[in-house]
Amino acid sequence: MRRRPTTVTLTALVVVTAALATGCGSDDEPDPLRGQQWALDALKLPDAWKTSKGEDTVIAVVDTGVDLDHPDLKGRLVDGYDFVDGDDEPKDLNGHGTHVSGIAAAHTDNGIGVAGGAPGAKIMPVRVLGADGSGTDANITKGIVWAADQGADVINLSLGESGLMARLLKGGILNQAITHANGKGAVVVAAAGNDSTALQPYKLDTPVLVVNAADRNGQPASFTNFGAQNAVSAPGVDILSTLPTYPTKETLKNTSGYGKLSGTSMASPYVSAVAALLHHQGLDPAAIMSTIRGAAANPQQLAKLGLGNVDAAAAVKAAPATKS
């Protein structure tokens, strides 16, 4: 009997789409919705930007694609690919990938919408998940390998809950793809998942940085998975970012181009942004991961936070000492 392909689902929870401003602002409001982005301050990213903004760094978002014409993302994109439809137009028909992309590197100080975590970086949209937010191991594997071969410096995997990680644990093809990407010089950052489950989700030699989710008080999000060796945490609750300007599953009736989502899917691209800042400083993948981990803080030793909450300012300050 022929095996059905295994699928992966997304790690974002229900969208919170309060009526937000359309994103237009005056000259004295560089990013009109910046005041709602509590996560940037929690990560101390504004302080980190004084040292690095991630210039000359490409973050591949292996996800549902992107709104290619979004005003807060247009000009931030490099060529991507659509492994679902097999073409060069990775248009987001779900909404998740657009949200993740904005977190990582939306335009900043441009008078529109929100600020991205790595204002100098570029986004490579790689569509491996369909409109329903699911996809096959085969397409995800192809997407990871393709992104690495096309020169992505950071690869963000805000993918699927325990399904993805369970297969990594078994040493399947996704594990091999991540190892391939690391060998090509890319840092691979992956969401832990939203099952509120303790697990060691990948083989110990897999070069991947797993990210748990925290709330605005720095406490573990109620939904976050935890237990991955050397995992870190980042904001993942009520995260404001870009959404498609046309109707999709995540946007529902909100076509303002902005909205809030919660999940480890949102925490992961924030760490990818910090990785981009460190890449610009000249660190290799191993040094980037060790620097992020070394700068994480967990004073209460909470198991669900792993090594602790990421501190971007501390990471970029520590970077010269770990430069290869």
Side-chain angles (χ1 to χ4, degrees):
M1 184 172 67
R2 187 177 179 183
R3 268 185 82 196
R4 295 178 61 189
T6 52
T7 60
V8 171
T9 54
L10 293 170
T11 58
L13 299 179
V14 178
V15 64
V16 182
T17 50
L20 296 166
T22 58
C24 297
S26 61
D27 291 340
D28 60 348
E29 293 179 312
D31 299 292
L33 301 178
R34 167 67 179 86
Q36 299 182 47
Q37 293 184 275
W38 66 269
L40 294 176
D41 300 308
L43 286 159
K44 301 180 183 176
L45 275 163
D47 286 340
W49 294 339
K50 297 173 185 177
T51 301
S52 172
K53 293 185 177 180
E55 296 89 338
D56 306 317
T57 302
V58 174
I59 303 172
V61 176
V62 180
D63 212 289
T64 64
V66 71
D67 178 350
L68 300 167
D69 295 315
H70 196 292
D72 230 356
L73 295 173
K74 200 169 184 179
R76 309 298 305 159
L77 307 175
V78 300
D79 291 341
Y81 194 78
D82 186 336
F83 285 93
V84 178
D85 293 335
D87 58 39
D88 296 324
E89 188 179 5
K91 181 178 180 179
D92 188 2
L93 300 179
N94 175 276
H96 187 273
T98 299
H99 200 269
V100 169
S101 296
I103 292 170
H107 271 298
T108 301
D109 295 337
N110 65 333
I112 300 173
V114 297
K122 297 285 189 177
I123 293 293
M124 177 188 289
V126 183
R127 185 175 182 238
V128 297
L129 304 177
D132 64 352
S134 66
T136 65
D137 280 2
N139 278 345
I140 295 168
T141 298
K142 291 175 185 176
I144 296 169
V145 171
W146 185 89
D149 290 348
Q150 296 301 310
D153 303 301
V154 180
I155 298 177
N156 186 82
L157 303 177
S158 290
L159 301 175
E161 307 193 358
S162 57
L164 167 63
M165 297 306 182
R167 286 188 287 283
L168 286 176
L169 183 61
K170 295 175 183 176
I173 56 174
L174 291 181
N175 180 63
Q176 296 168 22
I178 290 172
T179 300
H180 171 85
N182 183 264
K184 286 283 187 174
V187 177
V188 181
V189 182
N194 304 326
D195 302 317
S196 191
T197 299
L199 37 87
Q200 171 59 52
Y202 61 95
K203 293 183 69 175
L204 295 182
D205 60 351
T206 303
V208 58
L209 180 57
V210 176
V211 184
N212 306 342
D215 63 22
R216 66 174 59 229
N217 297 314
Q219 298 297 299
S222 61
F223 52 78
T224 190
N225 283 357
F226 60 99
Q229 186 179 52
N230 294 324
V232 295
S233 294
V237 179
D238 291 343
I239 302 300
L240 177 65
S241 184
T242 47
L243 284 172
T245 52
Y246 45 83
T248 68
K249 179 180 177 181
E250 295 288 3
T251 57
L252 301 176
K253 296 181 180 180
N254 171 28
T255 56
S256 71
Y258 301 91
K260 295 178 182 179
L261 286 170
S262 294
T264 56
S265 276
M266 287 58 255
S268 181
Y270 273 128
V271 177
S272 289
V274 178
L277 306 189
L278 296 173
H279 174 268
H280 176 66
Q281 291 181 274
L283 276 65
D284 63 22
I288 289 171
M289 289 192 285
S290 66
T291 300
I292 290 173
R293 287 166 171 157
N298 188 1
Q300 294 178 278
Q301 296 297 302
L302 301 175
K304 289 186 176 182
L305 292 180
L307 294 176
N309 288 308
V310 170
D311 183 327
V316 298
K317 184 177 180 180
T322 56
K323 212 170 204 179
S324 60

